[in-house]
Amino acid sequence: MNAESKTVLITGGDGYLGSSLAASYLESTDASLILWLRAGGAEEFENKKSALQRRFAGHASRLSYAAGDLLDDEPFRALDPRGIGGIIHAAAVTRFNVDETTARAVNLEGACKLFRFATGCPSLEAFGLLSTVYASGLAPGAIAEAPLDDGHGFSNFYEWSKWASEAALLKHFGDLPWRIFRVATIIADDERGTVRQQNAFHNTLKLLYYGLLSVMPGLPETPLYLLSGEFVSRAIFALMRRPSNRVIYHVCHKREEALPLRDLVDIAFEVFSQSEDFRLRRILKPLYADLGSFELLADGVEKFSGAVVSQAVASVAPFARQLFIDKDLKNTNLTAALGRYPDPELRRLAAETCRRLVESRWKPHGHDAR
Ligand SMILES: NC(=O)c1ccc[n+]([C@@H]2O[C@H](COP(=O)([O-])OP(=O)(O)OC[C@H]3O[C@@H](n4cnc5c(N)ncnc54)[C@H](OP(=O)(O)O)[C@@H]3O)[C@@H](O)[C@H]2O)c1
């Protein structure tokens, strides 16, 4: 898309990927941006806006802000559709333990409100829907960059809602200049292992470090598709600016480049062992458990453990079923569009991420405007 001359609207403009993509546009184009933020009232909007203004100081003349909530009836009513050349939908509830009602209302129905708004943007050249490789749910084997069905079910309502938003886009708004980005798991901002946003991945490592996860759900050989946020933002930024529409991209590496679960656990223990604090606790690597045994343990933890542990386990448990599924994610469209991407170096990324997590004891890095 020739975004240089038109305005790009980014929903979830203060979220992890929304704000990273805003930074890419500000640094590498002359485009104006509208950052659309979730805010319950004027004070929350002002606070979010101020944080972004600090982060993007120097670009004030190209930035404007709008507030809303995907739960509102018409969340984009205040926006002028004329002049919008690109839209990136990065707003979503991203917790794996989100309940069905919220997932449906925000991630499916909220996305449809934006699709509808987009149909009224006369100059729209590109609409990017941020999705996840787990929109493929529990499907094993080869997963192409093509529409998905829901035949294998899902691990959680987050996955289901991301699948459902893709399906709604393709079925009811197929004429939009859409592109779908199915992103794999971001574990760090960059190859130095800086972590601004934590998720189930980091919570699992935390449980392992403190010896609170003696059994690991999953099969040791399950491939993990791990990425840095930098890789993802660069890829989506480049793909948004290509002329071709109606393409699905898997923003991830190939299966042979992915890291087996066993290797991640080995790398984590190797890094953890460099800390005396960890060595003194003589913590053993977890045993691999079947899903039933893990669910029993998670259930016990919820009933009998303190808030910190049960919250961490609650964020891991809704994802556990994926650790038994061997997905062979294809990234043909991604590689054809980007050419050769940098070598994944996933072992180093995983090791550096573990090292930074231990150093910070899981305190997120510089959590200002996310
Ligand atoms: N990061 C990853 O590893 C990853 C991997 C695969 C796919 N993705 C996809 O990428 C997209 C962006 O993810 P992210 O990591 O940037 O997530 P994030 O940091 O959690 O950002 C999500 C954004 O959505 C906003 N939001 C939540 N509920 C909303 C509502 N009701 N109305 C309006 N806005 C709402 C959040 O605002 P508040 O914070 O104020 O609620 C936040 O700005 C999502 O679609 C996600 O599924 C991310």
Side-chain angles (χ1 to χ4, degrees):
M1 188 191 63
N2 177 16
E4 274 71 3
S5 54
K6 292 191 181 132
T7 299
V8 179
L9 165 66
I10 302 181
T11 69
D14 66 334
Y16 180 77
L17 282 175
S19 62
S20 305
L21 284 161
S24 300
Y25 276 96
L26 291 171
E27 282 154 20
S28 308
T29 73
D30 296 323
S32 298
L33 301 184
I34 304 171
L35 302 185
W36 187 88
L37 318 172
R38 190 204 58 76
E43 192 182 340
E44 191 177 9
F45 181 45
E46 280 311 313
N47 289 341
K48 286 186 160 197
K49 210 161 86 174
S50 312
L52 288 164
Q53 281 165 337
R54 283 196 299 279
R55 176 163 169 191
F56 298 131
H59 297 288
S61 62
R62 290 164 56 203
L63 278 169
S64 58
Y65 299 90
D69 192 311
L70 289 169
L71 296 171
D72 297 342
D73 287 343
E74 287 183 73
F76 304 102
R77 193 178 33 217
L79 297 180
D80 182 354
R82 290 167 303 174
I84 294 184
I87 298 179
I88 298 178
H89 188 36
V93 176
T94 54
R95 297 185 311 275
F96 292 154
N97 55 1
V98 61
D99 61 276
E100 182 178 5
T101 308
T102 309
R104 179 185 296 278
V106 177
N107 293 358
L108 171 57
E109 292 165 4
C112 288
K113 292 170 192 171
L114 183 65
F115 302 155
R116 221 163 283 125
F117 171 78
T119 60
C121 294
S123 316
L124 190 65
E125 290 175 6
F127 182 105
L129 174 67
L130 266 58
S131 186
T132 161
V133 295
Y134 295 107
S136 59
L138 297 169
I143 313 280
E145 291 159 299
L148 294 163
D149 64 44
D150 59 350
H152 288 85
F154 299 89
S155 279
N156 53 57
F157 291 112
Y158 166 73
E159 291 179 357
W160 166 80
S161 65
K162 299 305 287 185
W163 167 79
S165 65
E166 285 190 16
L169 173 64
L170 299 176
K171 184 164 179 202
H172 302 297
F173 301 91
D175 290 342
L176 283 173
W178 59 263
R179 32 201 96 181
I180 292 172
F181 305 113
R182 290 191 191 132
V183 179
T185 307
I186 298 175
I187 63 166
D189 298 1
D190 50 42
E191 290 191 351
R192 293 182 301 285
T194 318
V195 179
R196 265 190 311 138
Q197 187 197 53
Q198 295 189 18
N199 53 37
F201 175 88
H202 307 93
N203 284 335
T204 308
L205 290 174
K206 186 179 189 175
L207 292 172
L208 290 175
Y209 183 82
Y210 288 106
L212 298 168
L213 198 61
S214 51
V215 293
M216 170 67 98
L219 299 172
E221 60 276 12
T222 302
L224 302 178
Y225 292 85
L226 308 176
L227 292 168
S228 73
E230 200 169 74
F231 179 100
V232 174
S233 320
R234 276 199 192 141
I236 294 178
F237 173 67
L239 297 169
M240 274 302 284
R241 299 175 78 229
R242 284 173 60 81
S244 28
N245 279 311
R246 305 193 181 99
V247 187
I248 296 172
Y249 297 99
H250 284 173
V251 183
C252 65
H253 299 302
K254 297 184 201 315
R255 191 189 180 290
E256 58 269 26
E257 296 163 339
L259 198 63
L261 176 59
R262 174 200 305 109
D263 291 18
L264 172 69
V265 172
D266 289 349
I267 290 169
F269 272 71
E270 211 176 293
V271 174
F272 293 171
S273 304
Q274 289 160 22
S275 146
E276 196 184 352
D277 164 34
F278 180 81
R279 279 198 309 273
L280 286 173
R281 282 182 277 120
R282 297 173 185 277
I283 293 161
L284 299 175
K285 281 186 193 168
L287 301 171
Y288 291 91
D290 60 42
L291 191 61
S293 315
F294 176 74
E295 284 176 348
L296 267 179
L297 173 101
D299 196 39
V301 162
E302 204 184 318
K303 288 194 185 108
F304 303 115
S305 297
V308 175
V309 180
S310 52
Q311 271 166 23
V313 172
S315 94
V316 174
F319 189 69
R321 291 169 81 183
Q322 287 293 0
L323 299 175
F324 295 88
I325 312 274
D326 189 339
K327 285 183 190 295
D328 178 5
L329 297 169
K330 304 297 182 191
N331 66 1
T332 317
N333 291 344
L334 181 90
T335 44
L338 296 185
R340 236 185 87 69
Y341 52 69
D343 285 339
E345 304 239 34
L346 286 195
R347 282 161 202 288
R348 205 178 68 193
L349 177 66
E352 286 305 300
T353 306
C354 290
R355 190 177 61 75
R356 298 291 286 265
L357 287 170
V358 171
E359 269 170 23
S360 68
R361 296 295 189 271
W362 277 261
K363 190 164 163 279
H365 179 89
H367 213 259
D368 190 11
R370 298 214 276 175

